[in-house]
Amino acid sequence: MSTTRIESDLIGELEVPLQAYYGIQTQRAMDNFEISNSKLFQYPEFINGLALTKWAAAKTNYELNILNQSIYQAISDACQEILDGKLHQEFPVDMIQGGAGTSVNMNANEVIANRAIELLGHQKGEYQYCSPNDHVNLSQSTNDAYPTALKVALFNMNKQLVKTLAKLAQGFQVKAIEFENVIKMGRTQLQDAVPMTLGQEFGAFAYTLEKEIVNLESVSRGFLEINMGATAIGTGLNAVPGYAELCAKNLAILLDEPVISAENLVEATSDTSGFVAYSAALKKIAIKLSKICNDLRLLSSGPRCGLNEIQLPAMQPGSSIMPGKVNPVIPEVVNQVCFKVIGNDVTITMASEAAQLQLNVMEPVIAHSVMESMQWLENAMQTLLTKCVLGIKANEKHNKDLVLGSIGIVTALNPYIGYKASTRIAKEALETGTSVYELVLQNNLLSKERLDEILDPKHMLAPSKV
């Protein structure tokens, strides 16, 4: 018994596995593009985006009386099965490919068509009953279906990313409350500055991440503007009047979101700036996360010869040669994820710039890079929260001792003894090792009572009257 079936296309005939739901164009893509080892089936939201897009297109064609009811029903049922998690392994094409995403689009067309054919009571490959091109791809082109499916995928992926980001911000906020009475020394340019609380420091971490939730939600709404009905270049060739608006309406119903048709389909077909804007939002988060992880590594440095203001959870032995060494491995891995996201943003920028005339053929690398950044960031933030942030402990006494022994607290004396005298005291304290407190008293600059009041660290944490 044969294990393959013969299919044909423009190039000629080719054997396809008999049981495969994909067809000849998917097989050619598999043969042509062994590039990244990242396959479409590794991105289920993209597959679901394709299913939703194809379902909306079929519904629109049916309502416009250019697709019969039985074929429409079979296509919609096949799409529903994909949304239910079935057939995902039938999407084996490499994410990086030539052809502006045609291989991905045809992979979806073929899988949906062959499953629809089965539902109609026929055998895979009997395309006279449901054609990948004439029925599943009716009124479409790769150039409108691919970016629309990608936008649907990214919009849905963003929801989970936002949830993970919110949990991480909340984790830092929990620590901010826990550390609200832990006095420590603030620093600028890695030098002692003025006192603050560890709670204020962690509260700033929480707040800076919370702001990015709003930014992500705002920029992701741009994905709800689609170019379905543009077909090849935006002119709508091979789509009937009213298709673009009705398809957007049907996708809005399926997605339960306010999807709209782009005002200028020619512009929308070649423009990828929405992906650039979203990648920039991811890069912004990466920059902030990397800075936070840098701070966590600095604050936990030591334990004897560094700042040692906090203790990170010990996750693994830190050295093959140095006994007792424990490294900040979780912040380190998050740093590396952030570098990758920033690098992906450069790739997306260059790919967007590479658009020519009525199309950007570089959308596959944009798709792969954006989704990779989202996945890596989500995993990194979850790891940072559960394996680091929630287990951080404060070295409270050490922090207080650093404040009391710091020259930086002389800044609080400026309003009372003047900048010049404060500078002289700071210099003498640095040269002699004598505390600021003792030098102020020795020089009769303030009474002990007044000095104690001014230098109470709790009085230096917010604006106050002189």
Side-chain angles (χ1 to χ4, degrees):
M1 180 178 289
S2 175
T3 59
T4 62
R5 64 179 187 266
I6 302 296
E7 294 193 11
S8 62
D9 62 8
L10 171 69
I11 306 299
E13 292 185 340
L14 192 67
E15 290 187 347
V16 177
L18 184 64
Q19 297 305 316
Y21 283 90
Y22 59 78
I24 185 170
Q25 292 209 43
T26 301
Q27 186 63 57
R28 290 201 189 281
M30 294 166 64
D31 295 341
N32 291 336
F33 307 123
E34 279 292 343
I35 304 297
S36 69
N37 289 324
S38 290
K39 307 301 183 183
L40 182 53
F41 61 71
Q42 294 172 253
Y43 297 88
E45 285 293 355
F46 198 5
I47 295 174
N48 289 342
L50 288 162
L52 286 165
T53 299
K54 296 299 177 178
W55 190 347
K59 188 172 188 292
T60 303
N61 288 322
Y62 168 64
E63 292 174 350
L64 292 172
N65 298 313
I66 56 175
L67 185 66
N68 73 50
Q69 184 175 8
S70 62
I71 294 178
Y72 161 62
Q73 189 61 56
I75 289 174
S76 66
D77 289 346
C79 290
Q80 182 62 66
E81 289 186 6
I82 292 172
L83 293 170
D84 291 338
K86 300 176 183 178
L87 305 176
H88 280 213
Q89 290 302 313
E90 297 291 324
F91 293 82
V93 298
D94 198 295
M95 288 294 292
I96 305 300
Q97 55 195 246
T102 296
S103 297
V104 165
N105 185 43
M106 287 307 302
N107 191 172
N109 289 335
E110 290 172 344
V111 171
I112 293 168
N114 276 309
R115 181 55 185 144
I117 289 167
E118 284 187 334
L119 293 170
L120 290 168
H122 307 288
Q123 300 297 314
K124 298 183 189 73
E126 295 182 340
Y127 294 129
Q128 66 270 31
Y129 300 108
C130 183
S131 165
N133 295 88
D134 296 335
H135 298 122
V136 183
N137 199 63
L138 181 61
S139 306
Q140 304 153 63
S141 162
T142 293
N143 302 344
D144 55 0
Y146 182 97
T148 297
L150 176 58
K151 288 179 177 181
V152 170
L154 297 181
F155 185 84
N156 283 329
M157 289 175 69
N158 181 71
K159 294 177 183 178
Q160 184 57 48
L161 185 66
V162 164
K163 289 179 182 178
T164 303
L165 178 57
K167 289 179 181 178
L168 179 59
Q170 180 59 32
F172 277 114
Q173 188 57 45
V174 167
K175 287 297 172 178
I177 295 171
E178 180 182 338
F179 300 149
E180 62 183 350
N181 294 318
V182 179
I183 302 297
K184 62 156 286 175
M185 203 66 194
R187 296 175 182 84
T188 58
Q189 294 154 287
L190 298 180
Q191 306 299 305
D192 299 347
V194 296
M196 65 185 303
T197 68
L198 192 60
Q200 287 175 316
E201 192 163 29
F202 274 69
F205 294 158
Y207 182 71
T208 197
L209 295 178
E210 287 170 356
K211 290 197 297 183
E212 296 314 307
I213 294 173
V214 177
N215 190 38
L216 277 181
E217 290 178 334
S218 175
V219 73
S220 70
R221 283 193 286 272
F223 293 144
L224 297 177
E225 181 181 286
I226 64 170
N227 72 324
M228 288 296 285
T231 65
I233 65 171
T235 60
L237 181 67
N238 291 347
V240 301
Y243 175 89
E245 294 76 15
L246 183 56
C247 191
K249 179 181 177 181
N250 283 328
L251 186 56
I253 293 170
L254 291 172
L255 195 57
D256 194 24
E257 297 288 350
V259 177
I260 61 171
S261 180
E263 185 174 343
N264 187 314
L265 292 177
V266 173
E267 186 272 345
T269 302
S270 63
D271 177 55
T272 54
S273 60
F275 303 121
V276 175
Y278 187 78
S279 178
L282 298 180
K283 179 177 71 173
K284 190 178 175 187
I285 293 171
I287 290 169
K288 289 187 173 186
L289 270 180
S290 194
K291 187 270 182 187
I292 290 170
C293 288
N294 290 340
D295 287 355
L296 294 178
R297 293 192 294 124
L298 281 171
L299 294 173
S300 65
S301 61
R304 298 293 176 85
C305 301
L307 297 183
N308 193 32
E309 294 187 355
I310 61 174
Q311 297 177 36
L312 305 183
M315 299 309 299
Q316 63 185 55
S319 174
S320 61
I321 190 175
M322 293 172 279
K325 191 170 188 289
V326 178
N327 295 327
V329 294
I330 302 303
E332 288 173 352
V333 76
V334 175
N335 278 130
Q336 293 172 75
V337 168
C338 294
F339 305 157
K340 177 66 170 174
V341 172
I342 293 167
N344 281 347
D345 181 69
V346 175
T347 298
I348 291 162
T349 300
M350 295 305 297
S352 181
E353 185 275 338
Q356 295 172 321
L357 304 177
Q358 279 68 60
L359 184 65
N360 188 324
V361 303
M362 309 301 177
E363 284 186 0
V365 78
I366 292 176
H368 182 250
S369 298
V370 175
M371 288 190 287
E372 183 180 65
S373 289
M374 296 175 77
Q375 288 183 338
W376 283 38
L377 269 180
E378 184 177 339
N379 292 339
M381 290 191 294
Q382 180 66 23
T383 299
L384 183 62
L385 174 65
T386 59
K387 298 184 183 298
C388 182
V389 174
L390 295 180
I392 293 174
K393 297 179 180 179
N395 295 326
E396 189 168 350
K397 183 179 182 303
H398 178 65
N399 277 289
K400 186 174 182 181
D401 290 343
L402 289 177
V403 172
L404 295 178
S406 171
I407 297 171
I409 61 174
V410 75
T411 303
L413 301 177
N414 283 349
Y416 306 96
I417 65 175
Y419 186 85
K420 186 173 183 179
S422 296
T423 300
R424 177 169 56 83
I425 292 295
K427 182 178 179 181
E428 187 174 350
L430 184 61
E431 291 174 348
T432 65
T434 307
S435 70
V436 169
Y437 185 92
E438 292 174 357
L439 289 174
V440 171
L441 294 179
Q442 289 175 13
N443 286 272
N444 296 314
L445 294 174
L446 291 168
S447 68
K448 184 178 184 303
E449 293 75 15
R450 184 60 172 148
L451 182 60
D452 287 340
E453 180 183 359
I454 296 169
L455 293 185
D456 184 340
K458 293 181 180 179
H459 294 165
M460 294 187 282
L461 302 178
S464 60
K465 293 183 179 180
V466 176

